[in-house]
Amino acid sequence: MYNIKILNAGKDDLKEVFTVFSNAFVNEGISSYIFDFSKKNSKEVFCRLNILIGELYLAKGNQILAAKKEKKIVGSAILAKEYELSDAQLFKHILTKDIV
């Protein structure tokens, strides 16, 4: 049996949470259609975009859970009261950040 602890992820945890999340979705259909992961830095940009979206979810009062095994995040879940983020919210947040 695995000793996995579930905790609330905060802003300081987002890089690790969304690195795991992004790695899990590299081979997912929509992600691989939008991003050419064979190009240099595309995985890093994909991860950074996911972190920015995570920041928006937290800012909206949603909860992000992280599963930790031996001090390492191995999974996550977003518990969203407000699931959809408007395009305007998303673009405003992303365009003010350095994603590359």
Side-chain angles (χ1 to χ4, degrees), residues 16 20-22 37 40 44-46 50 76 79 95-96:
E16 189 176 1
V20 172
F21 177 91
S22 298
F37 290 113
K40 183 180 178 183
E44 290 83 7
V45 171
F46 179 61
N50 284 318
S76 62
L79 304 179
L95 293 176
T96 63

Side-chain angles (χ1 to χ4, degrees), residues 22-34:
S22 298
N23 286 335
F25 279 87
V26 165
N27 294 318
E28 187 266 333
I30 294 172
S31 301
S32 60
Y33 176 76
I34 294 171

Side-chain angles (χ1 to χ4, degrees), residues 47-67:
C47 182
R48 182 70 180 129
L49 287 171
N50 284 318
I51 292 168
L52 293 172
I53 292 168
E55 289 175 355
L56 278 175
Y57 274 106
L58 286 179
K60 286 288 195 178
N62 296 299
Q63 187 177 17
I64 298 177
L65 299 178

